Amino acid sequence: MPASTAVGPAAGPQDQLIQNIILSWLGGSRIIELKTVQIMDERKMTRPCIYAGHVGFNVEWSQELKLEQSLVEYVASSMLVDILSHTDLVGFGEAREAATQTIFDLSVGYDLKGISSAAVRGFVEQTMNATAMVERLRAEIPEEFRELRDVPFKTDLCKSITLSTFHGCPKDEIERICEFLLGEMGVHTVIKLNPTQLDRAYLEHLLHEKM
């Protein structure tokens, strides 16, 4: 599926809630990498996973929302994008269609055991076919906006996944995760490659000679 622009947020706390995802979309983002989900969604966090006091680095193996809560946020966000896409806000006819093509890209982590678990696998499957959640949320649209219940909401939210792993994750495990995502889940897969997995010489070759 094409996207109207190549602009969008990377996975993080800034795009796990409906309002932030929609604000990003209204700002022109059309490739939205949703906040990474993982099997450990019961951890008690004393701070957000991204510390932005100076450079904004990752400080926790965290997930602020449970999987079911994340599913609601992501499906509801997609439905709101569909609603906005059917308004005059973004033009008419073919111009509207061209301006609203959006990719919701899932992000999962952090190891094969967690990603292949029943909970995470079920979550991914529900984003690939979100019919049940779409119908549940469709029924919750207030009566004053009842005409919006007839919007043809997308049910195949995500067709691609970006893999997020920790620094130092063995390369053979990354390969096995990709085999699982591609072969068993049937999703397009992007590897978020930590630069430290490349040696210094190869990294400098990519940066200075190739790029």
Side-chain angles (χ1 to χ4, degrees):
M1 175 182 174
S4 302
T5 71
V7 176
Q14 73 281 352
D15 58 359
Q16 66 179 330
L17 298 178
I18 298 168
Q19 61 266 34
N20 293 339
I21 294 170
I22 295 303
L23 284 172
S24 175
W25 189 87
L26 289 171
S29 295
R30 294 296 182 269
I31 301 178
I32 299 175
E33 185 191 354
L34 300 164
K35 172 71 168 69
T36 306
V37 298
Q38 55 147 325
I39 184 60
M40 297 174 66
D41 63 354
E42 297 281 354
R43 291 168 62 112
K44 302 299 182 183
M45 294 298 163
T46 59
R47 57 190 178 187
C49 73
I50 301 294
Y51 175 68
H54 42 82
V55 295
F57 57 86
N58 207 327
V59 296
E60 293 280 6
W61 182 11
S62 70
Q63 181 172 321
E64 286 82 13
L65 301 179
K66 295 182 179 180
L67 287 167
E68 173 69 14
Q69 293 172 315
S70 294
L71 183 65
V72 172
E73 297 293 313
Y74 298 166
V75 175
S77 297
S78 175
M79 292 174 71
L80 280 171
V81 165
D82 288 339
I83 287 172
L84 290 168
S85 297
H86 281 78
T87 68
D88 296 340
L89 178 70
V90 288
F92 303 91
E94 293 182 2
R96 173 188 296 172
E97 181 178 354
T100 59
Q101 291 174 324
T102 304
I103 293 174
F104 272 28
D105 182 59
L106 271 187
S107 176
V108 299
Y110 290 93
D111 56 20
L112 179 59
K113 181 179 179 181
I115 292 169
S116 62
S117 67
V120 175
R121 182 171 187 152
F123 176 89
V124 173
E125 289 171 343
Q126 289 181 86
T127 63
M128 295 170 68
N129 181 3
T131 302
M133 182 61 71
V134 165
E135 293 308 312
R136 171 186 146 186
L137 295 176
R138 187 197 303 271
E140 295 179 10
I141 295 175
E143 182 64 21
E144 61 184 304
F145 302 114
R146 60 185 177 276
E147 70 278 1
L148 296 177
R149 297 172 187 165
D150 297 328
V151 170
F153 295 114
K154 186 194 310 182
T155 56
D156 55 339
L157 267 65
C158 299
K159 299 178 182 178
S160 64
I161 285 180
T162 293
L163 171 62
S164 180
T165 57
F166 289 125
H167 295 285
C169 181
K171 288 180 280 190
D172 60 341
E173 174 150 4
I174 292 175
E175 184 176 348
R176 291 197 302 272
I177 295 171
C178 292
E179 289 175 348
F180 170 75
L181 294 175
L182 289 165
E184 295 195 38
M185 299 303 298
V187 292
H188 300 292
T189 302
V190 177
I191 301 174
K192 188 179 290 183
L193 185 61
N194 295 322
T196 51
Q197 297 212 302
L198 309 175
D199 59 53
R200 178 171 178 171
Y202 187 52
L203 181 60
E204 290 184 345
H205 166 72
L206 287 176
L207 288 174
H208 301 306
E209 297 179 34
K210 291 294 185 182
M211 300 176 65

